[in-house]
Amino acid sequence: KKKKMTIWVVDNRVRQRGIKASMTQKLIQTLRSLSRTDIQTDVQIVSTTNDARRIRGGVVVLSGSSLSIASGNVERAHAAITAVTIALGQGIPILGICFGFQLLAFMYGMQVEKLSAGIRGERHVVGYGTVYINHQDAVKIGDDVLSDKIFAAHVHGVQFHPEATHDGKAWLHRWLQCHLLNVKN
């Protein structure tokens, strides 16, 4: 019998159109395409704090957004903050993507800064391959813009969209398989 695991996708979209909205839709489609012979995945969308309160087991994935932590939009991320709080309390693995990464950084006490010019396009990131980057905010250490960070055991963030490239999707599948096999549901 297949083991059933839930992937809780926190949908941080503010609008249903635009590049960030299409990235979130692509993320959801990528996660739904996961297939393993020993694991059946169930993708649940979290868009409200009430949705977040349903989280039990599995993994939590925080999507990108057009919201800006550096511009003070953190107060509009109630569902994501609730989801992170619940996941941390239950020991559920968390992956923050782009805005989700910046939100995790903020919650872990790091500074999120507005960039003087946005960064967009495909880039090679060591350990991930070619990935798509599209952001106006960044988490910096000195002059270096972070591309990823492990904040705590099972809490990982990436400042790019793994759902947008072949290499990124391969990495995302590996991350999920590793964490889905090691969590209680």
Side-chain angles (χ1 to χ4, degrees):
K1 185 178 177 181
K2 285 186 178 186
K3 185 176 183 180
K4 186 176 180 181
M5 300 303 298
T6 304
I7 302 171
W8 301 93
V9 179
V10 180
D11 184 347
N12 291 307
R13 286 183 285 192
V14 184
R15 333 176 173 78
Q16 296 300 313
R17 294 176 187 234
I19 188 77
K20 300 288 183 171
S22 66
M23 284 290 127
T24 299
Q25 191 56 43
K26 189 176 282 198
L27 173 65
I28 292 166
Q29 290 169 345
T30 298
L31 295 173
R32 285 188 171 145
S33 73
L34 279 177
S35 61
R36 284 191 51 110
T37 55
D38 54 343
I39 297 176
Q40 177 186 354
T41 56
D42 175 31
V43 176
Q44 293 289 317
I45 308 303
V46 174
S47 55
T48 67
T49 54
N50 283 336
D51 291 344
R53 289 184 187 109
R54 295 182 306 119
I55 294 173
R56 299 285 181 273
V59 299
V60 171
V61 178
L62 307 171
S63 81
S65 177
S66 58
L67 293 173
S68 166
I69 298 292
S71 297
N73 292 152
V74 71
E75 75 276 357
R76 294 179 59 194
H78 296 294
I81 292 167
T82 302
V84 169
T85 303
I86 289 169
L88 289 172
Q90 294 181 32
I92 296 172
I94 303 168
L95 174 62
I97 295 173
C98 197
F99 172 82
F101 165 75
Q102 295 163 7
L103 180 65
L104 287 171
F106 176 82
M107 292 178 78
Y108 276 89
M110 298 178 80
Q111 183 71 34
V112 180
E113 302 174 24
K114 183 67 105 182
L115 295 170
S116 57
I119 300 172
R120 179 185 267 187
E122 289 188 357
R123 302 263 163 72
H124 180 80
V125 176
V126 176
Y128 301 92
T130 301
V131 296
Y132 181 74
I133 296 173
N134 181 6
H135 58 274
Q136 291 74 40
D137 293 351
V139 178
K140 295 169 103 179
I141 304 259
D143 291 334
D144 294 331
V145 173
L146 294 183
S147 58
D148 69 333
K149 173 108 174 110
I150 296 174
F151 296 98
H154 305 297
V155 182
H156 192 155
V158 294
Q159 181 61 77
F160 51 81
H161 292 273
E163 68 276 17
T165 65
H166 176 74
D167 290 347
K169 286 178 185 177
W171 175 83
L172 180 59
H173 282 241
R174 287 190 305 274
W175 187 91
L176 285 164
Q177 289 174 354
C178 173
H179 287 85
L180 287 172
L181 288 173
N182 294 315
V183 297
K184 299 174 187 135
N185 207 23

